[in-house]
Structure formats: structure tokens, C-alpha cells
């Protein structure tokens, strides 16, 4: 049934934009998952091999996480009832923050409602209009939004170009104000690893604040998944580590790690923390159980990387561009199949789904024009048989659609 508001002209510009998406072939509808987030699952009533999930280590369905969530719900109820600074800080929230701080080898941690708000809330609260931000050109949207909200002066350096970052630092070296260098640990669309160690050394040289967004590195890189700082041996050189609880940790939320003073400051000034209700106790308990599993089941990470290298090698051998030509080369379980054209990419993604493989098409504005790709992610729980079946389907559909000759 069409409502009366559908004919109102006030939002006609949105309808025009949607029509433009459709004309470009990049309009999409949300796929609906009907069972568990697993290597093989049901979307829109169809059984598919799932190559689109951030569930890197398969923890979404781990029995220990289920048990932790149920036990916390029974003990504490379904919600916290308030923001953290009023009446919504529960003992289990503090336990989670202590768990993450110990895991990351830092003094303290604060948990946010999402990885996006962790980035945006931190950058916007620690800097002001007289300060400078040096940001990689391919950093996540949450970093970009946080930088804009801070009103600091933004300098963008070429992707992973440490020399260019230093050039920009030299230009502002004698300017008053703080300087912040910020990079993704793993870049979410191309799957390459940021030069965290080199940038941290650069930050030390110029007295800049060093910040890393490890959303796609936590649980994937470093000892037991401790992230890019551990991967590069940069402990003590990175002032702010941001992570997510919604990817390898398989639940919901984000976090910031650093000094005790940094975390106490964010308790007082980070607006998403101050004005959002805290996590349900079941979510906090789930995350605690997940960090325990990172320590006790390292074989999950080993399987993840074994599957990743096999999948990449087979795609490359088949003739696909998985980065390194017109885009950065993937170095992680995020493996894009670069097609370039948005319409061609979305059509290929749909054809894959129809053939039994869930691999999401990504086009402008999520990625730049001309760099559209089908983005795939490998997990530790895909079997070799499932991977081989997915590869066979990808190659077959690529040939029938003209993606491969």
C-alpha cells in the first residue's frame, strides 16, 4: 500500500538519485539471511556458499559464545537500561574492557557501540580546529567522518606512501597544534596491510600522535590475532588502537585501546560513548568468550590463512585480477575480484548468487569510479570442498558472463 507521503515533493531528489543508481546498474536490494552466519547458509531462500561474511574465525556460531550470551542474559537481563555515564555501566562491561586491554598489551580500553563510532568519536574528541590530521587516502569512512567532525586541518597522503606522509609533516612541522597520523591496519576494500610500523616511527620522529584502525586486523594479524601493532612489533609506539567486536570477534561494537589517561578522557568527552546506551550484557559476555577463544584456539587463525592463500592462488591462476594491477594487492582474507565497471560488477555478483555463491558487488561511491569489484572474504571454517566448489562456480560464471575469456 502506498502512503500519502510517497507523493510529497520534499524528498524528490532522493527518488531521482535512486533512479540514477538504477540507470547505472548499481542499485541493490538487501540480501536477507534466514539461518546462521556460516560458510554455507540461506539468503533470500537460496542455499549458497557464503564468501561475503566478516565472520573470519567462525565464532558467530561457537557453542561457548552461545552459552556465554545465554548465561549473561539469565543473570543480568536483556539490557543495561542507560548510557555508561549515568547508570548503564555494568560489571561485565568493565570486565570486557579489562580483557581487551590485557589482550592488546595496553593500560586501558573503552568499548563503544560500534567500530564506526569508536573511530569517529575518538578522532572528533581529541583534536580541534587548530590541529592537523594526516590520513591515508583509502582510510575507512568512519575515520574521514571523525576527522571532519573534529574541525582539524586534514592532510591526505597517498595510499601507504610513508615518504609522502613525511613531506606533509615537514610542511606543518612548525605550525602550532597537535599532529595525528592515522591509518587502517588492514584496508577493508582492497585487503592490503597498512605500513603501521613505518608510520609509527615517523610519528615518533615528529612528535605526532599515532592511531591505527585495526577493525580487519584484529583476530587476523599478529600473535593470536592481536592485530597490526603486534604484527609489526610496534607496541609502545602506537598511541591509539581502534578495533571492532563485530568481525573476527563475531558480535557487536567497537573499542579504543591506549593509555589510562586517553580512556578516561574518552569517558568524559567522546560523544557516542556519552549519548548511547551501553551494550546488552549478553553482547559483552559473548565478546569476553571470543577473546578467550583467540588465546585457546589459535588453530582457527592458522586455518584462516591456509584457506586464504589457497583461494587467492586459485583465483590468480584462473586469470582474475585480485589486486596489484590498478588497485593495491590484497594481503589478507579480503580478496577483491576487480572488474572496474559498476554495472558489470553487479551483474556478475547477481549471476554468482543465482549459481550458488554469495559474493557481494561493491561499486561507487563505496569505492572510486572504475574500481568496482566483487569482494570476497575467506574464513577459517570453509572446507576445501566448499572452496573448490565456489572456485568452480566463479570460473564458470565468469566465462559465461564474459568476465573471463
Amino acid at each position: 500500500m502506498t502512503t500519502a507521503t510517497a507523493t510529497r515533493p520534499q524528498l524528490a531528489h532522493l527518488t531521482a538519485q535512486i533512479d540514477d543508481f538504477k540507470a547505472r546498474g548499481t542499485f541493490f536490494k538487501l540480501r536477507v539471511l534466514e539461518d546462521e552466519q556460516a560458510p554455507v547458509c540461506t539468503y533470500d531462500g537460496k542455499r549458497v556458499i557464503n564468501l561475503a561474511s566478516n565472520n573470519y574465525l567462525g565464532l558467530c556460531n561457537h557453542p561457548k559464545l552461545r552459552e556465554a550470551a545465554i548465561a549473561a542474559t539469565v543473570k543480568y537481563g536483556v539490557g543495561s537500561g542507560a548510557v555508561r555515564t549515568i547508570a548503564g555501566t555494568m560489571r561485565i562491561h568493565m570486565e570486557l574492557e579489562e580483557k581487551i586491554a590485557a589482550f592488546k598489551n595496553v593500560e586501558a580500553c573503552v568499548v563503544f557501540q560500534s567500530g564506526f563510532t569508536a573511530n569517529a568519536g575518538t578522532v572528533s574528541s581529541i583534536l580541534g580546529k587548530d590541529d592537523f590530521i594526516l590520513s591515508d587516502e583509502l582510510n575507512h569512512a568512519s575515520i574521514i567522518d571523525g576527522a571532519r567532525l573534529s574541525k582539524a586541518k586534514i592532510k591526505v597522503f597517498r595510499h601507504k606512501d610513508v615518504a609522502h606522509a613525511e613531506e606533509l609533516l615537514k610542511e606543518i612541522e612548525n605550525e602550532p597544534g597537535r599532529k595525528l597520523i592515522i591509518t587502517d591496519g588492514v584496508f577493508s576494500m582492497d585487503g592490503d596491510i597498512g605500513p603501521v610500523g613505518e608510520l609509527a616511527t615517523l610519528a615518533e620522529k615528529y612528535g605526532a600522535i599515532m592511531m591505527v584502525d585495526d577493525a580487519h586486523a584484529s583476530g587476523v594479524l599478529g600473535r593470536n590475532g592481536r592485530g597490526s601493532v603486534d604484527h609489526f612489533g610496534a607496541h609502545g609506539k602506537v598511541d591509539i588502537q581502534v578495533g571492532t567486536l563485530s568481525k573476527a570477534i563475531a558480535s557487536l561494537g567497537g573499542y579504543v585501546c591506549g593509555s589510562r589517561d586517553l580512556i578516561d578522557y574518552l569517558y568524559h568527552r567522546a560523544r557516542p560513548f556519552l549519548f548511547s546506551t551501553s551494550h546488552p550484557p549478553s553482547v559483552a559476555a559473548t565478546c569476553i568468550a571470543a577473546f578467550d577463544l583467540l588465546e585457546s584456539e589459535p588453530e582457527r587463525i592458522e586455518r584462516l590463512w591456509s584457506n586464504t592463500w589457497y583461494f587467492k592462488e586459485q583465483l590468480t591462476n584462473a586469470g582474475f585480477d585480485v589486486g596489484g594491477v590498478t588497485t593495491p594487492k590484497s594481503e589478507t582474507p579480503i580478496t577483491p575480484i576487480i572488474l572496474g565497471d559498476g554495472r558489470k560488477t553487479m551483474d556478475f555478483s547477481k549471476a554468482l548468487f543465482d549459481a550458488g555463491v554469495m559474493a557481494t558487488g561493491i561499486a561507487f561511491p563505496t569505492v572510486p569510479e572504475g574500481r568496482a569489484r566483487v569482494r570476497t572474504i575467506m574464513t577459517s571454517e570453509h572446507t576445501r570442498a566448499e572452496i573448490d566448489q565456489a572456485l568452480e562456480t566463479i570460473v564458470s560464471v565468469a566465462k559465461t558472463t564474459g568476465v573471463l575469456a
Side-chain angles (χ1 to χ4, degrees):
M1 178 180 177
T2 302
T3 63
T5 57
T7 59
R8 285 167 59 80
Q10 286 83 347
L11 298 180
H13 64 292
L14 303 183
T15 302
Q17 188 64 64
I18 292 296
D19 290 341
D20 182 63
F21 294 158
K22 292 177 178 177
R24 291 169 175 264
T26 58
F27 179 80
F28 61 85
K29 292 186 177 180
L30 300 177
R31 298 275 185 205
V32 179
L33 177 63
E34 297 173 11
D35 47 18
E36 295 180 347
Q37 186 68 260
V40 179
C41 52
T42 307
Y43 278 93
D44 295 344
K46 185 175 182 61
R47 200 74 175 156
V48 293
I49 298 173
N50 185 1
L51 301 182
S53 171
N54 292 320
N55 186 25
Y56 288 109
L57 303 177
L59 299 186
C60 282
N61 311 311
H62 198 288
K64 290 186 178 178
L65 272 67
R66 293 179 191 265
E67 292 165 8
I70 292 168
T73 301
V74 171
K75 184 174 181 179
Y76 298 112
V78 298
S80 67
V83 300
R84 291 280 300 274
T85 53
I86 295 178
T89 294
M90 305 175 77
R91 167 47 55 189
I92 200 166
H93 295 135
M94 302 308 295
E95 290 174 3
L96 174 58
E97 291 178 346
E98 291 160 7
K99 170 72 73 174
I100 298 171
F103 183 77
K104 288 284 189 173
N105 193 32
V106 296
E107 286 184 351
C109 169
V110 55
V111 170
F112 283 77
Q113 287 72 18
S114 70
F116 197 106
T117 58
N119 263 330
T122 299
V123 176
S124 62
S125 64
I126 66 172
L127 298 177
K129 61 183 180 61
D130 297 323
D131 300 323
F132 293 87
I133 297 171
L134 289 88
S135 179
D136 189 290
E137 66 179 336
L138 294 186
N139 275 342
H140 193 266
S142 56
I143 295 172
I144 295 169
D145 283 4
R148 290 170 176 167
L149 286 169
S150 75
K151 297 184 171 58
K153 303 171 186 70
I154 302 169
K155 302 280 187 178
V156 178
F157 58 89
R158 292 185 293 270
H159 183 50
K160 294 172 60 170
D161 191 333
V162 178
H164 187 216
E166 183 164 19
E167 287 177 25
L168 297 177
L169 270 173
K170 286 179 178 177
E171 291 176 7
I172 61 174
E173 185 176 6
N174 296 320
E175 295 282 345
R178 303 169 190 86
K179 286 81 177 179
L180 170 74
I181 302 175
I182 186 166
T183 181
D184 281 0
V186 170
F187 290 87
S188 63
M189 287 295 116
D190 292 300
D192 53 332
I193 301 171
V196 173
E198 293 176 81
L199 288 173
T201 298
L202 189 65
E204 281 196 307
K205 180 178 178 180
Y206 288 89
I209 303 165
M210 181 65 202
M211 179 171 173
V212 175
D213 173 11
D214 252 359
H216 284 277
S218 295
V220 175
L221 296 180
R223 293 171 301 125
N224 297 88
R226 282 176 167 80
S228 65
V229 174
D230 190 85
H231 175 75
F232 286 104
H235 291 290
K237 296 181 179 180
V238 176
D239 301 290
I240 305 169
Q241 296 184 54
V242 176
T244 182
L245 301 167
S246 61
K247 296 178 174 60
I249 304 304
S251 188
L252 179 70
Y255 58 86
V256 177
C257 288
S259 69
R260 181 74 261 171
D261 286 349
L262 168 68
I263 302 311
D264 284 343
Y265 179 84
L266 294 176
Y267 281 162
H268 284 78
R269 285 290 183 267
R271 290 171 69 83
F273 177 84
L274 289 167
F275 295 102
S276 299
T277 296
S278 54
H279 282 83
S282 59
V283 171
T286 297
C287 295
I288 291 170
F291 280 102
D292 286 339
L293 283 170
L294 289 183
E295 298 281 21
S296 64
E297 297 186 9
E299 63 273 12
R300 287 179 178 268
I301 299 176
E302 294 169 7
R303 289 201 307 271
L304 170 66
W305 281 102
S306 176
N307 285 345
T308 293
W309 295 128
Y310 176 77
F311 186 63
K312 285 182 188 295
E313 181 182 36
Q314 297 304 310
L315 284 176
T316 302
N317 290 344
F320 290 101
D321 176 4
V322 294
V325 182
T326 61
T327 62
K329 182 175 177 59
S330 171
E331 303 169 274
T332 66
I334 300 169
T335 304
I337 299 174
I338 307 296
L339 278 72
D341 180 75
R343 182 186 297 276
K344 185 177 182 180
T345 296
M346 302 308 279
D347 288 347
F348 182 47
S349 175
K350 183 180 184 302
L352 286 175
F353 184 83
D354 291 342
V357 172
M358 174 79 164
T360 307
I362 308 288
F364 180 82
T366 306
V367 295
E369 288 279 16
R371 293 192 176 185
R373 77 280 310 271
V374 169
R375 179 174 178 266
T376 71
I377 297 183
M378 190 49 53
T379 77
S380 63
E381 303 312 288
H382 283 93
T383 66
R384 187 56 56 91
E386 289 163 353
I387 297 171
D388 285 339
Q389 184 180 343
L391 286 163
E392 181 181 342
T393 301
I394 292 169
V395 171
S396 174
V397 171
K399 290 180 177 178
T400 59
T401 58
V403 169
L404 285 181

